[in-house]
Amino acid sequence: MHAPMTIDIHAVEALDRDDPLAGFKSRFDLPEGVTYLDGNSLGAAPRAAYAEIEKAAKLEWGHDLIRSWNKAGWFALPMTLGDRVGRLIGAAPGQTAVTDHTSANVYKALHAALGLNADRKVIVAECESFPTDLYMAEGVMATRPGTVMRLEGVDAPRIEDLIDETVAVVLVNHVNYKTGALRDMEALTKRAQEAGALVVWDLCHSAGALPVELDRCNVDFAVGCTYKYLNGGPGAPAFIYVAKRHQEKVSQPLSGWWGHARPFGFERNYDGGAGILRFLSGTQPILSLRALSAALDLWDEVDMAAIRKKSTALTDLFIKLVEARCCAHGLKLVGPRDGTVRGSQVSFEHEGAYEIMQALIDRGVIGDFRAPATIRFGFTPLYTSFKDVWNAVDVLHDVMETGAWRDARYAVRSAVT
């Protein structure tokens, strides 16, 4: 599924006709007149999620009340949903739990890795990491005297050059949140482990966007969110993966009652549960978990190889069209041109990036802005069509050609962009 060299609207429509994933779009609630290219920040709502939430709220909460913890399977949701997410990230059952948020799970995973490598005091991370990962690493360091952090882009140009026998853990994003650059998971994991280090992979921008093979790559830990490509809803719980080989030797510091071996024994001292269970902490947000369950019902039907094929075709088409129609206006591609090393997003730099994105949003094309000068577009293969790409570039061309982005009202920045 690749765009032909000569691209016109008829060629684009032909790509949609041949798209094996095209039928999924009608199962999402997308507003008329909107081209949504921000699913890498917040995924669209699956229509089935509304009924699932209503059932959980009106029947299970409203009628069955506390009985639903057992009757409706509420208590087991972090584990049952974890295995379903696990299928999408290449994890065998019993290694993934849906729980808490990504920041908390980064904190747990880093502490766990440092505990397994207690004689080492170095965390390696990326200067261009999504900020919460670095913030949580700083928090972990504050509780472990002598622990230091080395950063790719500050202490060395390549993360591989920072890994030696002093490194306890490498914290790394599978897909760069700004540029879309995709890391080689297998190669970097092997490099770290050969030096005796463990690896925590952040999958926030790859889970649901491309095939991930945690078990095959011998990954130690992974975390990620479910509200982007997985369409779990705003603030949906995140997930954490812990390889089975580590589970009985590892501990994490947020030792709440849900992670206890006998949570209803109400014992005074903590005794961590078996396996991945010990990575749970407190009571889970059931309505959010049920929304995610509805989204995963849809994902149960999806072949991740088909997702990747369409994702690459969508992003390739977007780059070709933008560069063909808008290159005279100073837009510069950032991130990989080669689709095999790119996630499911494309970014361009421009001095007026913020204003350009606001003008696009005003015209019904929703992407996002990342400081200081990046406009970013996410391509979610389940509900993004090739015609959506064509329409988005049409609007971008108009915004640039007419200079509409220079309107003074677009210079007023909001907290959420």
Side-chain angles (χ1 to χ4, degrees):
M1 185 185 299
H2 294 285
M5 291 303 293
T6 301
I7 306 167
D8 59 21
I9 186 61
H10 303 294
V12 168
E13 289 171 344
L15 289 171
D16 280 328
R17 286 194 298 272
D18 294 339
D19 176 15
L21 298 174
F24 284 100
K25 184 166 188 171
S26 64
R27 296 166 68 177
F28 289 88
D29 192 9
L30 294 161
E32 285 291 325
V34 168
T35 300
Y36 190 60
L37 300 181
D38 205 12
N40 53 330
S41 286
L42 175 64
R47 296 182 186 277
Y50 303 147
E52 190 77 5
I53 294 169
E54 183 175 27
K55 177 183 176 184
K58 287 188 174 181
L59 175 62
E60 296 169 6
W61 176 22
H63 182 269
D64 291 337
L65 296 165
I66 200 168
R67 293 171 292 182
S68 287
W69 284 106
N70 294 317
K71 185 177 179 181
W74 285 0
F75 203 84
L77 280 174
M79 312 305 288
T80 57
L81 297 183
D83 283 343
R84 294 173 72 188
V85 170
R87 183 189 75 84
L88 302 175
I89 57 175
Q95 299 177 102
T96 311
V98 171
T99 182
D100 300 325
H101 46 75
T102 304
S103 298
N105 288 335
V106 168
Y107 191 82
K108 296 174 197 175
L110 285 177
H111 263 289
L114 286 163
L116 290 174
N117 259 343
D119 58 333
R120 299 184 178 208
K121 300 292 185 181
V122 178
I123 299 171
V124 167
E126 309 148 282
C127 177
E128 292 189 353
S129 175
F130 189 78
T132 200
D133 290 15
L134 299 181
Y135 303 159
M136 298 312 292
E138 289 176 5
V140 169
M141 290 163 59
T143 69
R144 303 181 76 97
T147 304
V148 298
M149 185 158 51
R150 297 177 190 162
L151 292 177
E152 178 187 57
V154 174
D155 299 301
R158 297 170 62 250
I159 202 165
E160 292 84 354
D161 298 330
L162 296 171
I163 301 170
D164 59 25
E165 68 282 353
T166 67
V167 174
V169 57
V170 178
L171 171 62
V172 62
N173 288 260
H174 195 201
V175 172
N176 182 285
Y177 81 102
K178 271 192 182 180
T179 69
L182 173 66
R183 296 270 189 184
D184 185 332
M185 177 178 286
E186 184 174 19
L188 182 55
T189 299
K190 183 179 179 182
R191 168 74 181 85
Q193 291 172 346
E194 285 175 345
L198 300 167
V199 185
V200 178
W201 284 93
D202 184 328
L203 307 180
C204 284
H205 289 87
S206 53
L210 51 91
V212 180
E213 298 182 302
L214 296 182
D215 287 350
R216 188 185 68 78
C217 294
N218 201 41
V219 166
D220 300 296
F221 300 90
V223 300
C225 57
T226 65
Y227 56 78
K228 293 184 173 73
Y229 293 99
L230 295 179
N231 309 106
F239 62 85
I240 185 167
Y241 162 94
V242 181
K244 190 169 288 292
R245 65 184 179 278
H246 295 314
Q247 289 179 2
E248 300 309 319
K249 300 175 290 182
V250 75
S251 63
Q252 60 95 0
L254 304 182
S255 46
W257 78 291
W258 266 57
H260 198 284
R262 296 165 298 280
F264 293 99
F266 304 112
E267 299 166 19
R268 194 172 85 177
N269 298 114
Y270 184 75
D271 180 14
I276 192 68
L277 182 68
R278 70 184 59 187
F279 279 80
L280 303 182
S281 295
T283 306
Q284 304 298 309
I286 297 303
L287 298 183
S288 290
L289 287 171
R290 289 297 293 276
L292 174 60
S293 178
L296 292 176
D297 287 344
L298 187 154
W299 277 100
D300 286 344
E301 304 173 29
V302 174
D303 176 4
M304 291 307 300
I307 288 286
R308 180 58 171 163
K309 185 176 181 181
K310 183 178 177 184
S311 163
T312 303
L314 288 167
T315 51
D316 281 348
L317 176 64
F318 185 72
I319 292 169
K320 289 176 183 177
L321 289 174
V322 171
E323 292 190 334
R325 302 192 63 195
C326 306
C327 63
H329 299 286
L331 289 166
K332 178 186 175 184
L333 178 69
V334 292
R337 186 174 300 278
D338 178 358
T340 64
V341 291
R342 182 177 63 232
S344 201
Q345 64 188 62
V346 175
S347 297
F348 286 89
E349 284 184 346
H350 191 280
E351 62 181 0
Y354 178 85
E355 293 84 355
I356 291 167
M357 184 51 66
Q358 302 317 300
L360 287 172
I361 291 170
D362 250 8
R363 288 157 176 76
V365 176
I366 301 178
D368 63 24
F369 163 78
R370 289 294 176 260
T374 300
I375 50 174
R376 188 181 71 157
F377 302 88
F379 298 85
T380 46
L382 288 187
Y383 55 81
T384 301
S385 68
F386 291 94
K387 191 171 182 181
D388 287 335
V389 173
W390 179 271
N391 291 340
V393 177
D394 245 1
V395 175
L396 178 60
H397 174 262
D398 181 69
V399 164
M400 302 308 296
E401 190 75 15
T402 63
W405 63 275
R406 297 180 187 276
D407 190 307
R409 62 191 162 132
Y410 297 135
V412 180
R413 302 201 174 192
S414 60
V416 179
T417 57

